[in-house]
Amino acid sequence: DLTIENVLELDERERGYDRVDIPQENISTYDGELIQNAIVYKGKVDKQSRSIQPNVDYFKLCLDGAKSHFSEFYNDYISTTYQNGSGEDPYLITISDIREKYQV
């Protein structure tokens, strides 16, 4: 469980994002566990840019975390974190790029 101090620390670390409370009825987990009082940090629309590549260490940490849970979660993480590109956008990372670069 997160304490108010934990949330404030997260808010500070994730200050480039907006904290969003998620009602329990909108949460579906991979193993059917019930989660109450969930929060997510959503990127600010005015701060998004396809020209900025992810921090490699942070991206790898997220991949490893996703992989350590459910394979379905890992696959969902990969498919929803980056869109498949047609190769026309030099800044767009494709799933193939990710798998090749990070051996995933």
Side-chain angles (χ1 to χ4, degrees), residues 20-43:
V20 179
D21 295 313
I22 307 295
Q24 180 177 347
E25 60 270 11
N26 292 349
I27 299 173
S28 170
T29 63
Y30 292 91
D31 63 357
E33 179 182 357
L34 294 177
I35 296 177
Q36 298 178 7
N37 304 321
I39 59 172
V40 296
Y41 287 86
K42 179 181 174 188

Side-chain angles (χ1 to χ4, degrees), residues 3 34 37 52 78 81 93 97:
T3 65
L34 294 177
N37 304 321
I52 300 172
I78 290 289
T81 300
I93 296 176
D97 295 335

Side-chain angles (χ1 to χ4, degrees), residues 42-103:
K42 179 181 174 188
K44 296 178 186 245
V45 174
D46 63 331
K47 300 280 185 182
Q48 296 176 5
S49 171
R50 288 190 181 267
S51 66
I52 300 172
Q53 297 298 309
N55 174 290
V56 174
D57 292 333
Y58 184 73
F59 179 68
K60 182 75 170 106
L61 178 71
C62 292
L63 280 178
D64 290 344
K67 191 181 274 188
S68 72
H69 291 284
F70 301 95
S71 60
E72 185 181 0
F73 175 63
Y74 176 75
N75 292 331
D76 286 347
Y77 176 78
I78 290 289
S79 67
T80 60
T81 300
Y82 294 97
Q83 298 176 13
N84 284 323
S86 64
E88 297 170 9
D89 183 344
Y91 298 113
L92 187 63
I93 296 176
T94 67
I95 299 300
S96 297
D97 295 335
I98 293 169
R99 289 196 169 118
E100 181 179 320
K101 188 168 187 173
Y102 302 106
Q103 291 82 47

